[in-house]
Amino acid sequence: MSEKVKHKHGGDIYEVSKDYGINRQSILDFSANINPLGLPDTILKVIENGIKDIVNYPDPECRELRTAISGYLNVPEEGIVVGNGASEVIFLLFEVLKPNKVLIPAPSFAEYERAAEKTGSKVEFFRLLEEQDFKLQVDSLAEAMDRDVDLVILCNPNNPTSTLTGRDELLKLIEKARNKGVNIVIDEAFIELTAGGNGNSMAEYLKHYENMFIVRAFTKLFAVPGLRLGYGAGSSDIVKKMWREKQPWSVNSFACCTGRLLTDEKDYMKKTHKWLKEEKSRFYNELCKFSCLKAFEPQTNFILLKLVNTELDAAALKEKMIRKGILIRDASNFKFLGREFFRVAIKDRESNNKFIEALSEILGGF
Amino acid sequence: MSEKVKHKHGGDIYEVSKDYGINRQSILDFSANINPLGLPDTILKVIENGIKDIVNYPDPECRELRTAISGYLNVPEEGIVVGNGASEVIFLLFEVLKPNKVLIPAPSFAEYERAAEKTGSKVEFFRLLEEQDFKLQVDSLAEAMDRDVDLVILCNPNNPTSTLTGRDELLKLIEKARNKGVNIVIDEAFIELTAGGNGNSMAEYLKHYENMFIVRAFTKLFAVPGLRLGYGAGSSDIVKKMWREKQPWSVNSFACCTGRLLTDEKDYMKKTHKWLKEEKSRFYNELCKFSCLKAFEPQTNFILLKLVNTELDAAALKEKMIRKGILIRDASNFKFLGREFFRVAIKDRESNNKFIEALSEILGGF
């Protein structure tokens, strides 16, 4: 079956568990970029209270959820759409916009290309350069928007490079895009997991730019990838069309009731920032000590790494790490990345230390 | 927002609750066709055990679930696809088959037409006739498969007519369709809620007919519309393509673990059949007593009704019933049904009696 899934992502502990005969619970998963603080208390309450509700169809318009997101982003409810994870929002957006030609800075999340292909859009990649530490050069990207391009989709901070483009830069881009009649989609799935948090988001500029659309998710911030909840914010015109095209009830009953996390979990968010501040630079610095690794400085909760001065490639390293109960993300199937690249999540200190220990056993110390 | 949702379905207790200021919990919902036995015990266990799993991505290939469904239907795992409700399975199937022209017996579930439109297929309706109690005439349908038609999608038992087409009839249809190179999709969402249960299913013929695809769901049988879980069975070739096109992780963690209901809830299924046997004919007979109602004999857990000899239409009746805390399905937006038609679920005896009581207050007794 595995070969049937077109693009492999991280986090498939089910496959590893089956292929290697390891108990799923005992795998230390560094391949999925999830908040290591685990489930916020509110989610447990939401699920307990929500069990009785699964005998009813979920609210097809997700009214309660939209209201909560609207308050959180300070965007009118008419500008909010919700979906079965950010994936559904992205696919729906492409379906509605039906772009002729899409420009995608890459390496980035593979589902953008899939969504574009599905809509029959031409795809062009804007290559992020290793020698620039994969940082997005906004002026070059704007130049690459030729007359055929009608949509640019980018991830900020970007997956798998963990780079962040500042708001001033993005504003320049959006301004230029508007002049050229190009829509800009910004996937902010990890935005709360950056040092500036929501301060790095472009949400407050939505009211000025009809050509901007923002994708978000509960997944990474609240550690709920299994719940399936993403959302999008943009012009009420586009959002209205998305609601019309959406499959009914794609957001399940539990997900429909999690809007209150955005108001009730301020403390969880604070703890998250404390953890990120402490552990991001510490883990990165530890990884920098390996002579056969090049670590790219992370702006969010994961790190892109390159194997250098070694015969080992990412697939072989992944294999060896699995034998130690640790799962990494072989990043070689990301566009423009070679077989030396892999990605690891930043987890809690104890797990990160275990990771360093296992890695040094394989790579022969520092 | 409501006007943005293209096709209205039953079960929107959220809208009613908001519009009429009625507490959602106190609405007696006859508009959604859900097993009134409520949640099987196993589902509570699945959810309790599953909470810890939502910090992980769901299994993208839903291995455990596929194995369970494969055993239940006696269809190889390679022939099973799962989705976020039957809706995702239907949309995905259209995306993969990309039919030129689709023939849909109607009135039926509105999402078939939406899925066809989305794929850019031409849609032709095969009208089910009121004078034939909306029963499908298989020979006429086969004749209507002209050279342009490459897909027929039908619901068996059919929603909203509650009619069931027998296996011998369907075999004739599938045979003729194969000769004409036409694919037949059978939505068996309610099949377990018929007198013969799985004995009415076409699943066992899948191995003989590559041109047949079956859609199923956990929704109605196990009373879990909020959970979002549907599945499909067909040729391994089509199923493989569906897995490739599918959005990743569209089936949430809880839904991924509910396969065991199919083996562990034999007793629930027995009780379900006992209830259905007792209550279906009783409720139908009660409804037949109303002089201003025409009730169509149900083959599954809901009844199509027509207001006759009265000024009242379904919309007005719905309004009056809501004031009594009861929600019915105004069926006038089903293709070929007029404003006199409505649909009601068959519920537990107590609820059904309340329904009869409320209805007789409005319709002035028998």
Side-chain angles (χ1 to χ4, degrees):
Chain A
M1 165 61 69
S2 295
E3 76 282 2
K4 289 178 195 166
V5 176
K6 207 167 177 187
H7 291 274
K8 296 291 288 180
H9 296 278
D12 194 351
I13 53 173
Y14 299 85
E15 182 173 46
V16 172
S17 162
K18 193 181 155 221
D19 292 353
Y20 292 82
I22 309 170
N23 184 320
R24 185 155 55 79
Q25 313 297 343
S26 71
I27 299 170
L28 209 46
D29 184 11
F30 278 80
S31 76
N33 305 320
I34 298 306
N35 190 338
L37 267 62
L39 295 178
D41 294 338
T42 309
I43 199 81
L44 304 175
K45 284 181 219 153
V46 164
I47 289 168
E48 274 163 33
N49 295 339
I51 290 178
K52 64 180 183 320
D53 271 334
I54 62 175
V55 300
N56 298 316
Y57 278 91
D59 178 1
E61 301 179 13
C62 307
R63 296 163 180 94
E64 191 184 312
L65 192 51
R66 270 188 301 131
T67 306
I69 295 167
S70 166
Y72 178 64
L73 288 190
N74 195 21
V75 164
E77 286 186 30
E78 295 73 36
I80 305 288
V81 65
V82 298
N84 177 4
S87 295
E88 191 193 10
V89 176
I90 294 164
F91 278 78
L92 206 49
L93 184 64
F94 272 82
E95 218 177 282
V96 162
L97 295 178
K98 291 191 177 42
N100 282 316
K101 189 168 163 189
V102 178
L103 186 61
I104 310 177
S108 197
F109 186 49
E111 294 298 315
Y112 308 148
E113 186 185 356
R114 282 193 69 204
E117 277 175 2
K118 212 169 231 191
T119 328
S121 311
K122 274 178 280 182
V123 172
E124 198 166 281
F125 292 101
F126 174 82
R127 187 171 188 154
L128 301 170
L129 300 173
E130 185 182 345
E131 50 270 34
Q132 293 168 340
D133 292 331
F134 298 109
K135 280 175 191 143
L136 180 65
Q137 308 297 319
V138 160
D139 292 332
S140 315
L141 178 61
E143 271 169 45
M145 295 189 292
D146 62 37
R147 69 174 63 195
D148 293 339
V149 169
D150 43 16
L151 190 138
V152 173
I153 180 163
L154 58 91
C155 189
N156 196 48
N158 190 37
N159 175 13
T161 57
S162 203
T163 47
L164 180 74
T165 307
R167 301 214 293 184
D168 292 346
E169 291 292 292
L170 287 176
L171 273 176
K172 275 201 298 186
L173 180 72
I174 289 156
E175 193 78 40
K176 285 182 183 174
R178 183 164 63 180
N179 295 341
K180 290 186 177 189
V182 174
N183 285 314
I184 302 277
V185 181
I186 305 178
D187 180 352
E188 296 188 340
F190 295 96
I191 203 81
E192 288 109 331
L193 297 166
T194 59
N198 278 318
N200 290 316
S201 170
M202 295 299 286
E204 67 173 277
Y205 298 105
L206 279 169
K207 55 180 172 292
H208 303 301
Y209 296 94
E210 289 265 317
N211 66 324
M212 176 165 63
F213 190 93
I214 290 175
V215 179
R216 302 280 284 252
F218 279 57
T219 309
K220 332 285 178 176
L221 171 60
F222 294 120
V224 290
L227 190 66
R228 313 307 304 135
L229 181 54
Y231 55 101
S235 80
S236 58
D237 180 47
I238 289 172
V239 163
K240 194 173 166 180
K241 287 180 188 154
M242 290 172 77
W243 278 105
R244 285 180 64 96
E245 289 303 315
K246 198 173 160 302
Q247 285 169 38
W249 320 293
S250 67
V251 178
N252 66 71
S253 295
F254 297 122
C256 274
C257 297
T258 46
R260 51 184 282 208
L261 268 74
L262 298 171
T263 46
D264 297 2
E265 288 292 350
K266 299 275 190 239
D267 215 50
Y268 178 91
M269 296 195 212
K270 259 188 212 158
K271 280 184 197 151
T272 298
H273 277 107
K274 187 170 175 287
W275 150 75
L276 191 68
K277 197 177 171 188
E278 290 168 5
E279 213 47 27
K280 188 174 66 176
S281 53
R282 197 193 70 89
F283 191 38
Y284 168 66
N285 288 332
E286 288 297 314
L287 289 165
C288 284
K289 292 180 188 165
F290 286 87
S291 60
C292 53
L293 278 187
K294 179 176 172 189
F296 295 86
E297 195 178 353
Q299 300 294 329
T300 183
N301 66 324
F302 53 86
I303 306 180
L304 181 66
L305 294 140
K306 185 185 183 183
L307 288 156
V308 289
N309 313 320
T310 166
E311 296 284 288
L312 212 64
D313 65 7
L317 178 65
K318 179 181 172 184
E319 175 84 25
K320 284 178 190 288
M321 289 295 274
I322 288 174
R323 306 252 172 232
K324 293 177 181 292
I326 291 174
L327 184 59
I328 63 169
R329 172 69 156 91
D330 175 355
S332 61
N333 72 343
F334 280 97
K335 189 90 189 168
F336 303 132
L337 292 190
R339 57 191 191 83
E340 317 88 350
F341 286 89
F342 64 103
R343 191 194 68 195
V344 296
I346 300 168
K347 292 174 78 81
D348 59 287
R349 179 160 300 194
E350 194 190 334
S351 302
N352 294 339
N353 287 345
K354 280 187 192 162
F355 182 91
I356 297 289
E357 200 183 314
L359 194 65
S360 48
E361 282 165 19
I362 292 165
L363 298 181
F366 298 173
Chain B
M1 164 63 68
S2 296
E3 75 283 1
K4 290 177 193 166
V5 175
K6 208 166 176 189
H7 293 274
K8 295 292 288 180
H9 296 278
D12 195 351
I13 53 173
Y14 299 85
E15 183 174 45
V16 173
S17 162
K18 194 181 155 221
D19 291 353
Y20 292 82
I22 308 170
N23 184 322
R24 185 155 56 80
Q25 313 297 344
S26 70
I27 300 169
L28 208 47
D29 184 12
F30 278 79
S31 77
N33 305 319
I34 299 305
N35 190 337
L37 266 62
L39 295 179
D41 293 340
T42 308
I43 199 80
L44 304 175
K45 285 181 218 154
V46 163
I47 288 168
E48 274 164 33
N49 295 338
I51 290 179
K52 63 181 183 319
D53 271 335
I54 62 174
V55 300
N56 298 314
Y57 278 91
D59 177 1
E61 300 179 13
C62 308
R63 295 164 181 91
E64 191 183 313
L65 192 52
R66 269 188 302 133
T67 306
I69 295 167
S70 166
Y72 178 65
L73 288 190
N74 195 21
V75 165
E77 286 187 30
E78 294 73 37
I80 306 286
V81 65
V82 297
N84 176 4
S87 296
E88 191 192 9
V89 175
I90 294 164
F91 278 78
L92 206 49
L93 184 65
F94 273 82
E95 218 176 283
V96 161
L97 294 178
K98 290 191 178 43
N100 282 317
K101 189 169 163 187
V102 178
L103 186 61
I104 310 177
S108 196
F109 187 47
E111 294 299 314
Y112 309 148
E113 185 185 357
R114 282 194 68 205
E117 277 176 2
K118 211 170 231 192
T119 327
S121 311
K122 272 176 283 181
V123 172
E124 197 166 281
F125 292 101
F126 175 81
R127 187 170 188 155
L128 301 169
L129 301 173
E130 185 182 345
E131 50 270 35
Q132 293 167 340
D133 292 331
F134 299 108
K135 279 176 192 144
L136 180 64
Q137 307 298 320
V138 160
D139 292 331
S140 315
L141 177 61
E143 271 170 44
M145 295 189 292
D146 62 36
R147 69 174 63 194
D148 293 338
V149 170
D150 43 17
L151 190 138
V152 173
I153 180 163
L154 58 91
C155 189
N156 196 48
N158 189 38
N159 174 13
T161 57
S162 203
T163 47
L164 179 75
T165 307
R167 300 214 294 184
D168 292 346
E169 291 292 291
L170 287 176
L171 273 175
K172 275 202 297 184
L173 180 72
I174 289 156
E175 193 78 39
K176 285 183 184 174
R178 182 162 67 180
N179 294 341
K180 290 186 178 190
V182 174
N183 285 314
I184 302 277
V185 181
I186 305 178
D187 180 352
E188 296 188 339
F190 294 97
I191 203 83
E192 288 108 332
L193 297 167
T194 59
N198 278 318
N200 290 316
S201 170
M202 294 299 285
E204 68 173 278
Y205 299 104
L206 278 169
K207 55 179 172 292
H208 302 301
Y209 296 95
E210 289 265 317
N211 67 323
M212 175 165 64
F213 190 93
I214 290 175
V215 179
R216 302 280 283 252
F218 279 57
T219 309
K220 332 285 179 178
L221 171 60
F222 294 120
V224 290
L227 190 66
R228 313 308 303 135
L229 181 55
Y231 55 101
S235 81
S236 58
D237 180 47
I238 289 172
V239 163
K240 195 173 166 180
K241 286 181 189 155
M242 290 172 78
W243 278 106
R244 285 180 64 96
E245 289 303 314
K246 195 172 160 304
Q247 285 170 36
W249 320 293
S250 66
V251 178
N252 67 71
S253 294
F254 297 121
C256 273
C257 297
T258 45
R260 51 184 283 207
L261 268 74
L262 298 171
T263 46
D264 297 3
E265 289 292 350
K266 298 276 190 236
D267 215 51
Y268 177 91
M269 296 195 213
K270 258 188 214 158
K271 280 185 197 149
T272 298
H273 277 106
K274 187 169 174 289
W275 151 75
L276 191 67
K277 197 177 171 186
E278 290 168 5
E279 211 50 26
K280 190 174 65 176
S281 53
R282 197 193 69 88
F283 191 38
Y284 168 66
N285 289 331
E286 288 297 314
L287 289 165
C288 284
K289 293 179 188 164
F290 285 88
S291 61
C292 53
L293 278 187
K294 178 175 173 190
F296 295 86
E297 195 178 352
Q299 299 294 330
T300 183
N301 66 323
F302 52 87
I303 306 180
L304 181 66
L305 293 139
K306 186 183 183 184
L307 288 156
V308 289
N309 313 320
T310 166
E311 295 285 287
L312 212 63
D313 65 8
L317 178 65
K318 179 181 172 185
E319 175 83 25
K320 285 177 189 288
M321 289 296 273
I322 288 174
R323 306 251 172 234
K324 293 177 180 291
I326 291 174
L327 184 59
I328 63 168
R329 172 70 157 91
D330 175 354
S332 60
N333 71 342
F334 280 95
K335 189 91 189 167
F336 302 131
L337 292 191
R339 56 191 192 82
E340 318 88 349
F341 285 89
F342 64 103
R343 191 193 68 195
V344 296
I346 300 167
K347 294 174 78 82
D348 58 287
R349 178 159 302 193
E350 193 191 334
S351 302
N352 294 339
N353 286 344
K354 279 187 192 162
F355 181 91
I356 297 289
E357 200 183 314
L359 194 63
S360 49
E361 282 166 19
I362 293 165
L363 298 181
F366 299 173

